[in-house]
Amino acid sequence: MSESIESQDNEIEGEAAAPSMTTIERAELLVAQDEAIQSKINEGASLDEAVDPSNKEFGPLAHPEQVQMRVAKRALMLKEGVEPYPVHLDVTDTILQVRERYDGKLEAGQETEDMVGIAGRVLFIRNAGGLCFVKIAAGDGTAIQGMVSKREVGADSLKRFKQLVDLGDHLYLRGRVISSKTGELSIFATEWSIAAKALQPLPALHKDLNEDTRTRKPYIGMIADERMRDMVRNRSKAVASLRSTFAEHDFIEVETPMLQTVHGGAAARPFTTHMNAFDLDLYLRIAPELFLKRCLVGGIDRVFEINRDFRNEGVDATHAPEFTMLEAYQAYGTYDTIGQLVKELVQKTAMDVFGSHKVTLVDGTEYDFGGEWKTISMYESLSQSLGEEITPETAVEHLGAIADKLGVERDDVENHGKLVEHLWEHFYEDNLYEPTFVRDFPVETSPLVKSHRSKPGVVEKWDLYVRGFELATGYSELNDPVVQRERFVQQAKDALAGDAEAMDIDEDFLEALGVGMPPAGGMGMGIDRLLIALTGATIRETITFPLVKPLNL
């Protein structure tokens, strides 16, 4: 069923409600209005005559006046045989290239005979009689001034420029490189054309965008906010750095299924979907772990994947339902060797993206990823905070009593490991500011991890904390199929008892383990969280197109 659209102008009490429309009905309405405007222009109407500010004919859900005017300008271009969205323009240089060649090298008022063809989005226009000034910017934010004069392009061309060009349009200029009388590097146009007519007006670029616009319309944010453009570019640099480091260590990148018949590889609530061809319910991937381990079985001894994962959980500053995860596995590694790898990955990414292990966060403070990183034990640190020894043998009832006394939230399905982790988080999670490896977790919460070599009831797992949140996790991987089946059975029992995050029994994976998986170290790190750690931004700011709830729901 098509979603319903209602006018947002109905909130004033007493006003008559605007009609409700399906998305198809509204799209048809806008098509009809576009055609009506084109028809008026073709019949000789002026731009003002083609526009209906009150929308008497089409109603409150039709185009607002500003959009109608831009649609009318598009219509006028088509009537005159001018393509508002041309396929090709003779762009010879980027704005950045022009600036790099000429910035600081021309005196005020100096002109050259050097011809360039450039294009960019119009951010400013000033009409001054026979001379128009226009500021255009490339996608990277580099801007330059254009000058369109009656003397150079002719009276008719200048009149059309004033009539047709709006803020937000993509504009092509061909002309000489000069310095204006005020010393501004400029292109003195000999010809111009609209490269893409913008029908929607830009927001006021001198004001900060509100959070809703930044999140729901990130393309607007990229135009208006240099920080958003930088985040997209820095994210790309970070991923390139990670791939480069893995290549240096002879890792192979693979792709694993996003649609899975059994959800596993992490403790998380999955999204479900249905495949019509097989009449089969499927899960969206919550982690690639079980398939990457199959690669180890198959002889791919060093393997990694940068993948999209989906977890049907809460949303906050460090959690999103759709996110990017990096996972890697190294045959004959351990959680010690994989920890060194993760440290190198993070430090090299900081260096490749920002040129230093010290990064400047959005609040202006510095954070240092350099040097050696701190290591603590979960059980030992918890015992220190409680003033009593907590071990893998500590009873669930006693841990529960401590949790109740401290006001720590408890799960519906509890066990020793969950209570230990909740208690530890109560004391430490928000307080580990410097990079810190927290080692040796309870076995109950880590069903895919090998038991500790010398500590019964503990597994060889670490979590890496940075600025009070978990950035990465690492393991000595469980490769004993008998023990793995026992762990899966316990997970299945927890699921039956109501634990929505417990894993299913994956017999195909167990069969693969039976073929023989070498000892291995493994790690997982959220790419979004890595950007949070490097920049101090929220997860929504690091994801280029975050999922948000539609306004009409």
Side-chain angles (χ1 to χ4, degrees):
M1 182 184 227
S2 295
E3 61 189 52
S4 166
I5 299 174
E6 295 183 3
S7 171
Q8 297 179 9
D9 301 328
N10 308 330
E11 298 178 2
I12 301 175
E13 189 174 350
E15 276 195 8
S20 177
M21 286 187 173
T22 66
T23 52
I24 294 176
E25 289 171 338
R26 184 165 187 257
E28 289 178 334
L29 171 73
L30 297 178
V31 167
Q33 188 176 36
D34 292 340
E35 291 175 346
I37 291 172
Q38 183 73 62
S39 178
K40 290 177 183 177
I41 291 294
N42 290 345
E43 291 168 1
S46 68
L47 293 174
D48 288 335
E49 291 169 341
V51 171
D52 178 10
S54 63
N55 256 328
K56 291 180 181 178
E57 180 180 356
F58 292 96
L61 293 183
H63 289 312
E65 182 180 1
Q66 280 195 64
V67 175
Q68 290 184 57
M69 179 59 73
R70 290 166 180 252
V71 170
K73 291 180 180 182
R74 171 190 177 275
L76 181 59
M77 292 176 69
L78 291 172
K79 178 186 177 183
E80 294 176 351
V82 178
E83 175 55 59
Y85 306 97
V87 175
H88 174 72
L89 294 159
D90 188 21
V91 176
T92 62
D93 300 85
T94 66
I95 296 174
L96 179 61
Q97 288 170 338
V98 173
R99 284 216 163 272
E100 287 176 340
R101 284 203 300 270
Y102 296 97
D103 261 339
K105 298 177 182 178
L106 301 180
E107 300 291 335
Q110 182 179 349
E111 299 188 8
T112 77
E113 296 301 318
D114 300 339
M115 297 292 293
V116 296
I118 62 168
R121 186 183 293 275
V122 176
L123 301 183
F124 172 81
I125 301 176
R126 179 164 64 90
N127 296 325
L131 178 63
C132 291
F133 297 89
V134 58
K135 177 184 177 182
I136 64 174
D140 62 4
T142 308
I144 198 168
Q145 177 174 270
M147 300 168 67
V148 182
S149 76
K150 178 180 177 181
R151 173 171 61 87
E152 194 73 22
V153 302
D156 289 344
S157 180
L158 180 63
K159 179 181 177 181
R160 290 179 62 255
F161 181 90
K162 293 178 179 180
Q163 183 182 46
L164 296 176
V165 177
D166 291 305
L167 295 180
D169 290 351
H170 286 269
L171 183 68
Y172 168 76
L173 297 175
R174 178 170 175 78
R176 294 181 290 112
V177 179
I178 70 167
S179 178
S180 71
K181 292 179 180 179
T182 60
E184 179 73 22
L185 184 65
S186 306
I187 305 302
F188 197 69
T190 57
E191 62 178 281
W192 67 271
S193 61
I194 290 176
K197 183 67 190 170
L199 301 186
Q200 296 289 336
L202 292 178
L205 298 181
H206 61 279
K207 297 180 180 179
D208 288 338
L209 289 181
N210 61 53
E211 184 62 26
D212 192 61
T213 300
R214 288 169 57 93
T215 305
R216 295 182 180 280
K217 300 178 181 179
Y219 47 90
I220 296 294
M222 293 176 210
I223 296 170
D225 191 341
E226 182 180 3
R227 293 172 301 172
M228 289 189 68
R229 293 194 300 272
D230 286 344
M231 181 63 74
V232 176
R233 292 185 174 89
N234 288 339
R235 185 184 179 103
S236 178
K237 291 178 184 177
V239 172
S241 174
L242 293 169
R243 286 194 165 105
S244 173
T245 303
F246 278 119
E248 291 171 4
H249 289 274
D250 297 324
F251 278 75
I252 292 175
E253 185 173 8
V254 300
E255 295 178 348
T256 62
M258 191 175 290
L259 294 174
Q260 301 180 353
T261 56
V262 178
H263 69 88
R269 186 192 298 263
F271 286 95
T272 59
T273 187
H274 185 80
M275 180 179 178
N276 292 331
F278 291 172
D279 190 21
L280 180 67
D281 287 336
L282 296 169
Y283 300 99
L284 295 184
R285 174 176 56 202
I286 61 174
E289 176 170 347
L290 301 185
F291 286 93
L292 292 175
K293 286 181 174 178
R294 287 170 169 90
C295 290
L296 294 181
V297 173
I300 310 298
D301 285 346
R302 298 189 177 201
V303 63
F304 79 98
E305 182 177 14
I306 297 174
N307 61 92
R308 300 295 281 182
D309 286 347
F310 307 84
R311 298 184 183 179
N312 199 356
E313 300 170 339
V315 177
D316 58 31
T318 58
H319 292 84
E322 178 184 3
F323 59 97
T324 305
M325 175 66 77
L326 162 66
E327 289 202 17
Y329 296 86
Q330 179 180 348
Y332 303 103
T334 67
Y335 76 149
D336 297 309
T337 58
I338 213 76
Q340 288 300 312
L341 174 63
V342 167
K343 180 168 172 282
E344 181 180 345
L345 287 166
V346 174
Q347 290 182 337
K348 190 170 185 298
T349 298
M351 187 65 70
D352 288 345
V353 177
F354 297 106
S356 172
H357 290 155
K358 284 186 178 181
V359 298
T360 302
L361 307 179
V362 292
D363 62 3
T365 61
E366 279 193 345
Y367 188 86
D368 191 358
F369 285 98
E372 293 303 314
W373 292 355
K374 185 178 177 181
T375 296
I376 65 174
S377 162
M378 174 166 283
Y379 278 96
E380 290 177 6
S381 58
L382 177 59
S383 298
Q384 290 171 5
S385 293
L386 289 174
E388 65 172 284
E389 187 177 14
I390 302 297
T391 72
E393 288 75 39
T394 302
V396 171
E397 293 76 16
H398 182 58
L399 293 171
I402 296 173
D404 291 339
K405 182 179 178 181
L406 294 173
V408 175
E409 185 176 350
R410 298 171 64 175
D411 292 337
D412 294 334
V413 181
E414 288 186 327
N415 55 42
H416 169 92
K418 285 190 175 184
L419 284 167
V420 166
E421 290 194 18
H422 288 329
L423 288 169
W424 182 89
E425 289 166 359
H426 172 75
F427 289 106
Y428 288 97
E429 184 174 39
D430 297 331
N431 299 317
L432 295 178
Y433 187 78
E434 64 180 295
T436 303
F437 287 109
V438 182
R439 289 165 61 98
D440 302 340
F441 279 62
V443 67
E444 293 89 351
T445 55
S446 304
L448 299 169
V449 187
K450 185 168 285 188
S451 295
H452 198 281
R453 284 162 272 186
S454 60
K455 300 176 183 178
V458 174
V459 295
E460 294 196 351
K461 169 186 173 180
W462 53 254
D463 280 351
L464 172 61
Y465 278 83
V466 171
R467 292 181 28 246
F469 67 90
E470 180 192 335
L471 172 59
T473 188
Y475 319 93
S476 295
E477 299 296 341
L478 178 59
N479 61 339
D480 184 335
V482 174
V483 175
Q484 185 64 81
R485 180 172 278 107
E486 292 171 354
R487 301 264 187 93
F488 276 158
V489 168
Q490 184 57 54
Q491 285 281 299
K493 289 180 178 178
D494 289 345
L496 291 173
D499 188 345
E501 295 186 348
M503 299 183 203
D504 287 340
I505 297 173
D506 190 333
E507 284 293 343
D508 184 76
F509 174 67
L510 289 170
E511 184 176 342
L513 278 189
V515 174
M517 186 184 97
M523 59 78 65
M525 178 169 61
I527 300 296
D528 318 298
R529 289 198 175 195
L530 177 58
L531 268 295
I532 293 172
L534 292 170
T535 65
T538 66
I539 195 167
R540 279 192 174 185
E541 292 170 324
T542 69
I543 298 175
T544 308
F545 295 97
L547 178 67
V548 291
K549 187 176 181 179
L551 289 172
N552 57 321
L553 293 181

